[in-house]
Amino acid sequence: ISLRRVRLATFSGAGAVAGVAGVLFASVTPSFTPNAGASYQLIVIAAVILAGISLSGGKGNFLVLLLSVGFLSTIPVSIAFFGLPPAFALIFQ
């Protein structure tokens, strides 16, 4: 296995996914500003930590990561269900 090819494929794939995500986010957001997605960083880090993935890399389970993302995405709906202000969603996440 060539390390150069694996690195190139990994970084190219990550760049492509980030580009598609940026285009989709910009198409959904009515007024796009550079800091529009800043609140999503904490949620992503919380999902990774909740899934038990090593922050130094190399160890983790993708299925558990998807389950933790699913769990964290139900929190804003639960907050609205209980009638709390939407600002509480970031606190609980």
Side-chain angles (χ1 to χ4, degrees):
I1 297 174
S2 173
L3 183 61
R4 292 182 124 200
R5 288 184 187 167
V6 170
R7 281 186 182 167
L8 180 66
T10 302
F11 287 125
S12 298
V17 169
V20 169
V23 168
L24 289 176
F25 183 73
S27 67
V28 172
T29 308
S31 61
F32 184 72
T33 59
N35 62 352
S39 63
Y40 292 114
Q41 293 174 350
L42 183 62
I43 298 169
V44 170
I45 293 171
V48 169
I49 291 173
L50 186 64
I53 294 177
S54 172
L55 294 179
S56 60
K59 297 179 182 176
N61 188 348
F62 188 68
L63 181 62
V64 177
L65 178 65
L66 289 178
L67 288 173
S68 67
V69 168
F71 173 71
L72 287 174
S73 66
T74 61
I75 290 176
V77 176
S78 302
I79 296 294
F81 177 76
F82 288 116
L84 296 172
F88 280 105
L90 284 176
I91 294 170
F92 287 111
Q93 284 177 332

